[in-house]
């Protein structure tokens, strides 16, 4: 496994020299801002059989987070 670690370290150093790491980090942060903005849009209530329910009740664990 030490050869894998050495190769992985060299790959990360090579990517940082080519500025690939910076671009991946920037795109990841940008996507997190979009995800945070999109999930806050659906914060209303849902009407099921005449009873108002919250999104967390309907969607389960992912909706309640």
């Amino acid at each position: 496994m030490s050869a894998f670690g050495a190769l992985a370290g060299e790959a990360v150093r090579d990517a940082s020299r080519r500025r690939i790491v910076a671009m991946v980090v920037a795109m990841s942060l940008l996507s997190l801002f979009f995800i945070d903005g999109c999930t806050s849009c659906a914060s209303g209530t849902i009407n099921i059989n005449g009873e108002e329910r919250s999104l967390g009740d309907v969607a389960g664990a992912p909706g309640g987070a």
Side-chain angles (χ1 to χ4, degrees):
M1 288 303 280
S2 64
F4 176 75
L7 289 174
E10 180 60 33
V12 170
R13 285 189 294 276
D14 184 51
S16 64
R17 281 192 297 263
R18 296 175 188 232
R19 294 186 177 95
I20 294 172
V21 171
M23 183 58 75
V24 168
V25 168
M27 293 302 292
S28 297
L29 290 175
L30 185 63
S31 68
L32 283 175
F33 289 127
F34 282 123
I35 288 171
D36 184 42
C38 292
T39 56
S40 65
C41 294
S43 60
T45 58
I46 299 172
N47 193 354
I48 299 176
N49 294 331
E51 183 180 333
E52 286 192 5
R53 308 283 304 262
S54 70
L55 183 61
D57 294 337
V58 177

